[in-house]
Amino acid sequence: MPQNSTVPKILIVGGGYAGFYTAWKLEKHLRKGEADVTMVDPLPYMTYQPFLPEVAAGSIEARHSVVAHRRHLKRTNVLTAKVTNINHADKVATITPPLGEPYEFAYDQIVVTAGAVSRTFPIPGIADNAIGLKTIEEAVAIRDRVMSNFDKASSLPAGPERDRLLTVVVVGGGFAGIEVFAELRSLASSLVSRYPQLRFEDTHFHLIEAMGRIMPEVSLQTSEWVLKDLAKRGANVHLDTQLTSAVDGNVELSTGEVIPTDVIVWTAGVMANPTVVRGGDLPVEERGRIQTRADLRVGTPEAFVPGAWAAGDVSAVPDLSGGGVGGFCVPNAQHAVRQAKLLAKNLVAVLRGEDPKEYFHKNLGAVAGLGLYNGVFQSGKIALKGFVAWVAHRGYHGLAMPTWERKFRVIWGWWNNLWLGRDLVNLETVQNPRYVFEEFAARPRPAADAPAAPATKADAPKAAEPKAAAAKAPAAKKTAAKKAPAPATTDPAEHADATEKAAAK
């Protein structure tokens, strides 16, 4: 979208939940020509993260769980790049594209919605062997690794290596950890029926949780029901247990137990995107999030930073409902989407000289899928379990997926799976798509030996011969000439001439 230098410029940093919804709603609320909106994100799509566990289990097509920026943002200038510095004092941001040199972008209003990344600890082996669950690429990689390991294990005899390939370890007992753990357990149960060489008892699933309970978002009674349900399906949950090492895939626990595995999924917490938070001059609170007011302007309750806004996981927004941890909204999709919708309205209001409103949202409850036809739902004292909760889970997220185009793709995929079954295609080789081409591609032959280099001054002593040897050279040549046979020829005239010369001698 072409820039208009005479209207306010709005820069949105991040295209996840909060960033996409802010831009989407700004397009709705802004009058034509009222402001120029630019959104910057390294990815060209928004990921609907509640679907990641189902993507990892093969229940949802990966591309259906993301929303393309350029398709659904009609009047927003979308830049696929990174914001690596924010100089709000001068209202200039540094944009670093994937190709080319970084450049400065001047703005009037900035909206920081850069989201969060996986938060890890300096545990040996985690950085080298574990995988997170924050991106669609990670979910696909987990799915393909599990399926590929079944292929490998089916050709091995019973033993330690086969056990290692059929063992999955998930670290973190929050909603994301429990969902992906249960979904992968459900996937493994489906896969076993396709491999006559393997039995259900050959698969091993372990969840590691440092606290004494799982899923703090639901009641203790509901979380205990989930534990019993997982135990019925052969899954092991280690409570009050910490992971101390994961070197070479050997998961060592604080209890002394060692679990060899080829799949370690890390879901033990998130942190605000450090690239954006640290690369700027906006105020940051003690947990590394941008300090944000209830009206979603950056600042404290006493004073705000003019022209700066924040929302979503990267921000510390006060939870006026009183239900937030430490008095702030927890980092989840419910808050990110609703904050973004209000932020768009507030920003437009400020541009028009009106006062912004404060964000207030009481948690509607929590819903989680625990594999096909199984789930859990909690809202206040109301708790649903099993199939009914699973229907509620799919119904809620199917409707919450932004845009009707995306809703249709997801729901249509669920409908197909109901009749056709789970899609069990393994595409792990897509991570190395050129392996077949490289194996059979013709390559140039090795170059012939290079001709000898001419002698240099340094080689002169080696080339010099004694005078006596030089004197013998002509005599040697004469002797060689006498012994050498006459050159062969097919020309009769030349042959006669050579015979006459020999007779004369």
Side-chain angles (χ1 to χ4, degrees):
M1 185 182 77
Q3 295 276 318
N4 187 338
S5 60
T6 62
V7 300
K9 292 182 176 60
I10 301 172
L11 175 63
I12 302 174
V13 182
Y17 277 120
F20 174 81
Y21 269 93
T22 299
W24 202 26
K25 296 305 177 182
L26 281 174
E27 291 190 352
K28 177 181 177 181
H29 299 309
L30 286 170
R31 303 187 189 103
K32 186 176 182 180
E34 190 173 8
D36 279 338
V37 181
T38 298
M39 187 179 74
V40 183
D41 191 277
L43 296 174
Y45 51 78
M46 182 211 93
T47 302
Y48 191 76
Q49 293 186 4
F51 283 158
L52 293 182
E54 287 198 64
V55 172
S59 296
I60 294 180
E61 163 62 34
R63 289 177 299 174
H64 295 171
S65 61
V66 300
V67 181
H69 292 154
R70 298 179 189 276
R71 174 164 186 168
H72 297 285
L73 298 177
K74 308 295 186 183
R75 296 189 290 121
T76 300
N77 180 32
V78 177
L79 299 179
T80 304
K82 291 182 179 180
V83 172
T84 51
N85 181 264
I86 298 173
N87 179 6
H88 191 66
D90 297 329
K91 291 192 174 180
V92 172
T94 301
I95 296 178
T96 303
L99 296 174
E101 296 297 322
Y103 60 93
E104 292 187 341
F105 184 96
Y107 61 83
D108 298 293
Q109 303 279 337
I110 190 168
V111 179
V112 183
T113 56
V117 299
S118 296
R119 176 179 58 112
T120 59
F121 306 103
I123 300 172
I126 284 297
D128 300 321
N129 299 298
I131 185 170
L133 192 67
K134 289 292 292 179
T135 68
I136 193 68
E137 294 84 359
E138 289 174 326
V140 172
I142 292 169
R143 179 197 68 189
D144 290 342
R145 174 68 67 84
V146 170
M147 291 183 179
S148 179
N149 283 356
F150 267 76
D151 290 333
K152 296 173 183 176
S154 65
S155 63
L156 293 175
E161 180 60 16
R162 193 172 80 170
D163 287 342
R164 185 183 71 85
L165 291 171
L166 297 178
T167 298
V168 174
V169 174
V170 176
V171 184
F175 250 65
I178 291 296
E179 283 194 288
V180 73
F181 184 64
E183 291 286 355
L184 291 177
R185 172 71 275 182
S186 177
L187 170 63
S189 299
S190 298
L191 289 174
V192 166
S193 63
R194 311 286 178 172
Y195 294 87
Q197 307 91 336
L198 304 176
R199 301 175 302 159
F200 178 86
E201 293 75 16
D202 295 329
T203 60
H204 314 284
F205 280 73
H206 298 268
L207 184 135
I208 316 301
E209 172 53 50
M211 297 176 60
R213 60 164 295 182
I214 60 171
M215 304 174 74
E217 300 89 344
V218 303
S219 67
L220 181 60
Q221 183 180 7
T222 301
S223 70
E224 289 177 347
W225 178 87
V226 174
L227 286 175
K228 292 178 182 177
D229 182 73
L230 290 172
K232 289 178 183 177
R233 291 190 274 164
N236 302 287
V237 178
H238 306 258
L239 299 178
D240 293 315
T241 305
Q242 296 179 346
L243 189 153
T244 59
S245 176
V247 175
D248 296 329
N250 293 310
V251 173
E252 299 181 16
L253 307 181
S254 55
T255 58
E257 185 177 357
V258 179
I259 305 171
T261 179
D262 193 51
V263 181
I264 305 172
V265 183
W266 181 273
T267 66
V270 297
M271 64 179 180
N273 190 324
T275 302
V276 174
V277 172
R278 297 170 186 169
D281 57 357
L282 295 175
V284 179
E285 50 93 61
E286 58 185 7
R287 294 191 63 184
R289 299 170 296 181
I290 293 178
Q291 203 163 18
T292 311
R293 293 156 47 99
D295 60 9
L296 304 175
R297 288 186 285 192
V298 174
T300 64
E302 295 74 27
F304 65 88
V305 178
W309 307 76
D313 296 356
V314 78
S315 63
V317 178
D319 189 345
L320 301 183
S321 72
V325 179
F328 295 99
C329 296
V330 296
N332 64 21
Q334 273 191 48
H335 285 305
V337 170
R338 287 167 175 79
Q339 288 170 7
K341 292 179 179 179
L342 179 63
L343 192 157
K345 292 180 179 179
N346 282 352
L347 204 164
V348 173
V350 168
L351 291 179
R352 296 173 183 172
E354 303 170 6
D355 293 329
K357 297 180 180 180
E358 292 187 332
Y359 175 74
F360 179 91
H361 172 67
K362 190 171 183 180
N363 196 338
L364 298 177
V367 60
L370 302 176
L372 283 180
Y373 314 122
N374 195 16
V376 62
F377 169 80
Q378 179 89 47
S379 180
K381 295 183 179 180
I382 300 175
L384 302 176
K385 308 176 185 72
F387 179 76
V388 176
W390 177 79
V391 173
H393 167 264
R394 287 209 161 175
Y396 172 79
H397 287 298
L399 293 175
M401 183 72 176
T403 81
W404 283 104
E405 177 254 342
R406 291 286 106 175
K407 294 181 202 294
F408 182 82
R409 292 183 187 273
V410 170
I411 296 173
W412 182 249
W414 283 336
W415 175 257
N416 288 334
N417 288 346
L418 179 64
W419 304 106
L420 303 176
R422 191 198 307 261
D423 192 341
L424 300 179
V425 175
N426 169 22
L427 296 178
E428 186 177 31
T429 51
V430 78
Q431 298 171 43
N432 181 24
R434 298 182 64 250
Y435 78 101
V436 174
F437 182 83
E438 289 179 338
E439 181 179 355
F440 297 102
R443 291 178 169 82
R445 293 183 178 182
D449 294 338
T456 62
K457 292 183 179 179
D459 298 327
K462 299 178 182 179
E465 298 289 343
K467 291 183 179 180
K472 294 178 181 178
K477 288 182 180 179
K478 290 179 180 179
T479 305
K482 289 180 181 179
K483 294 182 179 180
T489 177
T490 57
D491 187 343
E494 187 177 344
H495 178 70
D497 183 61
T499 304
E500 290 177 2
K501 288 182 179 179
K505 288 181 180 181

